[in-house]
Amino acid sequence: MTPQPESALATVDATREALASADYLASDAVATTTYLASTLGKPLLVEGPAGVGKTELAKAVARATGRRLVRLQCYEGVDEARALYEWNHAKQLLAITAERESSWDAVRSDIFGEEFLLARPLLTAIRSPEPVVLLVDELDKADEEMEGLLLEILSDFQVTVPELGTVAATTHPFVLLTSNATRELTEALRRRCLFLHLDYPDAELERRIVQLQVPGLPETLAASVVRVVGALRDLNLRKSPSIAETVDWARTLLALGADELDPALVRSSLGVVLKHQDDIATVIADLDLDRALAG
């Protein structure tokens, strides 16, 4: 896909079309909130269950605007050194050894300079000479202290490095944060963001997504896949199928040369959409596949 200029997000309709050209079919709420985040220059917090397209939205914005995607993948224990910056201690030790005849004041001013700084995703995005999309993914997996680290960036698009001072962004990053809501994010962080709750799409939108991602899939088969996935999501499963797994299932059926779904084919291919044996057992025991396939 040829990258589009930033004006791709100039209106709600333009945003919807730009995202579609980046293979992301947006609902009215997604197109409107993405447009507002771009126009107002506000960070966008996208919250919802896993697998509904939160991360894909950031990737689509990057493709639609031609911006580079800078991603901070959060996890338990991620800290400032992994998210913002750290000093290259090995290189600093070499410099100290090489300059052992110099005074400590002279050495100290040297080893805390740009040459010894290792920029991590947050600092990389702030210092980028070109506008970027900054994705802070699955923030709810990080400790609450990480949110404190983000506040300065979300408010003023700048970070403070004690040895270097304040580093302000020279271009305005499009910031998108995602959360699966496994823990409550702080009000201080929410205040600084536009909020978008993203849930599983309705059947019509999901069918269009499947057909966009799996060219050549018969329309009736796409509709059957979406109907069954919807029925699976209504069950009390450990993990409901994501949109990506719906697409994977459709690709699998196309590779198998299937023209239509029947209960035997559903049972034999459940492992594509369900990833826990007890979920598969629940579906086989509790789901009336004939009824689910009939809609």
Side-chain angles (χ1 to χ4, degrees):
M1 190 203 72
T2 302
Q4 299 188 26
E6 188 64 16
S7 59
L9 308 183
T11 67
V12 173
D13 287 341
T15 300
R16 184 185 294 103
E17 292 171 9
L19 292 174
S21 73
D23 293 339
Y24 190 99
L25 300 182
S27 65
D28 289 344
V30 170
T32 300
T33 314
T34 303
Y35 158 73
L36 289 174
S38 174
T39 300
L40 301 177
K42 297 276 288 184
L44 175 57
L45 170 61
V46 187
E47 196 170 66
V52 295
K54 302 185 295 296
T55 301
E56 285 305 311
L57 176 58
K59 293 178 180 177
V61 170
R63 292 195 297 270
T65 58
R67 293 185 176 205
R68 181 165 65 99
L69 180 71
V70 178
R71 179 174 182 170
L72 171 62
Q73 180 63 54
C74 295
Y75 53 87
E76 186 177 355
V78 65
D79 58 9
E80 183 174 306
R82 298 297 179 191
L84 187 56
Y85 76 94
E86 65 180 326
W87 294 104
N88 188 333
H89 298 305
K91 194 171 182 179
Q92 286 176 321
L93 285 173
L94 287 174
I96 291 171
T97 302
E99 298 180 34
R100 58 181 177 273
E101 301 299 330
S102 303
S103 68
W104 168 241
D105 286 342
V107 172
R108 182 172 57 186
S109 63
D110 286 342
I111 63 173
F112 288 107
E114 286 284 345
E115 182 182 353
F116 300 90
L117 186 68
L118 298 175
R120 300 307 185 197
L122 298 180
L123 186 56
T124 297
I126 289 296
R127 297 203 309 179
S128 173
E130 302 294 333
V132 301
V133 173
L134 172 61
L135 168 62
V136 181
D137 209 8
E138 299 185 318
L139 179 58
D140 53 318
K141 288 185 177 177
D143 300 326
E144 190 171 318
E145 288 74 14
M146 177 55 61
E147 295 183 43
L149 185 63
L150 287 170
L151 295 183
E152 186 179 11
I153 294 175
L154 300 180
S155 296
D156 303 317
F157 296 100
Q158 67 181 33
V159 296
T160 300
V161 180
E163 296 85 353
L164 301 178
T166 299
V167 181
T170 55
T171 59
H172 201 290
F174 184 103
V175 182
L176 191 149
L177 309 94
T178 76
S179 168
N180 295 335
T182 58
R183 71 170 175 83
E184 190 68 23
L185 301 180
T186 63
E187 292 300 327
L189 182 130
R190 290 178 180 275
R191 257 198 326 272
R192 288 163 170 80
C193 302
L194 298 183
F195 176 75
L196 173 66
H197 178 76
L198 204 54
D199 210 334
Y200 296 112
D202 60 40
E204 172 58 20
L205 180 56
E206 187 159 23
R207 182 191 62 75
R208 291 171 54 209
I209 292 170
V210 169
Q211 291 198 283
L212 176 69
Q213 298 294 329
V214 191
L217 187 74
E219 187 170 337
T220 53
L221 184 55
S224 295
V225 166
V226 169
R227 271 200 302 274
V228 174
V229 167
L232 296 178
R233 288 176 185 152
D234 287 338
L235 297 174
N236 184 24
L237 302 177
R238 288 178 62 184
K239 180 188 176 303
S240 294
S242 67
I243 297 173
E245 286 160 336
T246 307
V247 171
D248 284 346
W249 196 24
R251 288 196 179 110
T252 299
L253 297 171
L254 189 65
L256 291 173
D259 295 321
E260 60 181 19
L261 266 181
D262 58 54
L265 184 55
V266 172
R267 292 189 192 95
S268 66
S269 56
L270 275 176
V272 180
V273 285
L274 300 178
K275 306 303 168 62
H276 296 279
Q277 181 54 36
D278 48 352
D279 283 348
I280 293 174
T282 297
V283 170
I284 291 175
D286 298 344
L287 183 62
D288 184 341
L289 285 173
D290 289 317
R291 185 175 180 181
L293 286 166

